[in-house]
Amino acid sequence: QGQLVESGGGLVQPGGSLRLSCEAFGMFLSLYHIDWYRQAPGKERELVGGITTGARSSTNYIDSVKGRFTISRDNGKNTAWLQMNELKPEDTAVYYCHARNQFNDDWTYWGQGTQVTVSS
């Protein structure tokens, strides 16, 4: 049974940076597309962006984080990252990584979530 373990959240001042990690255990991350979601208090969970797997891996982002956030992966390390720069208070949320099997959308895994708080 696969598992995703996230780390790297914390408290940061506006304009600061954080790097979230999503490490896979008991599964080959190379077989999965990776998405990052976030959920702010009182709001629905929203998709922040994602990175596909395969030789032609590509990324996509919601407009509010374009140019500030970068998603990457290293299948050899079974890990994906969300680099967040120029953080704003409205980025405050619990961030989750999500893995979708490239061959079967029913095979998915969620990380446990990590809190990101942007405040002065």
Side-chain angles (χ1 to χ4, degrees), residues 65-110:
V65 307
K66 281 181 181 177
R68 300 189 297 122
F69 289 12
T70 303
I71 298 172
S72 60
R73 66 190 298 160
D74 185 333
N75 291 334
K77 295 181 178 180
N78 240 20
T79 302
W81 296 273
L82 175 63
Q83 176 68 45
M84 304 183 293
N85 299 328
E86 301 175 33
L87 282 161
K88 305 175 181 180
E90 51 263 43
D91 295 318
T92 295
V94 178
Y95 284 72
Y96 300 88
C97 63
H98 177 252
R100 295 177 291 118
N101 187 276
Q102 63 176 329
F103 302 116
N104 189 329
D105 286 342
D106 291 334
W107 297 349
T108 66
Y109 297 91
W110 285 96

Side-chain angles (χ1 to χ4, degrees), residues 5-102:
V5 177
E6 300 177 42
S7 60
L11 173 65
V12 63
Q13 292 186 343
S17 298
L18 281 175
R19 189 192 196 201
L20 306 184
S21 298
C22 175
E23 186 173 5
F25 295 90
M27 56 190 281
F28 293 107
L29 203 62
S30 59
L31 299 178
Y32 294 81
H33 306 302
I34 299 297
D35 299 311
W36 286 91
Y37 288 78
R38 66 186 180 186
Q39 187 166 19
K43 295 187 177 181
E44 293 187 355
R45 190 174 297 188
E46 69 169 348
L47 177 64
V48 174
I51 184 166
T52 61
T53 190
R56 297 180 181 179
S57 179
S58 63
T59 55
N60 62 88
Y61 306 91
I62 57 174
D63 287 345
S64 61
V65 307
K66 281 181 181 177
R68 300 189 297 122
F69 289 12
T70 303
I71 298 172
S72 60
R73 66 190 298 160
D74 185 333
N75 291 334
K77 295 181 178 180
N78 240 20
T79 302
W81 296 273
L82 175 63
Q83 176 68 45
M84 304 183 293
N85 299 328
E86 301 175 33
L87 282 161
K88 305 175 181 180
E90 51 263 43
D91 295 318
T92 295
V94 178
Y95 284 72
Y96 300 88
C97 63
H98 177 252
R100 295 177 291 118
N101 187 276
Q102 63 176 329

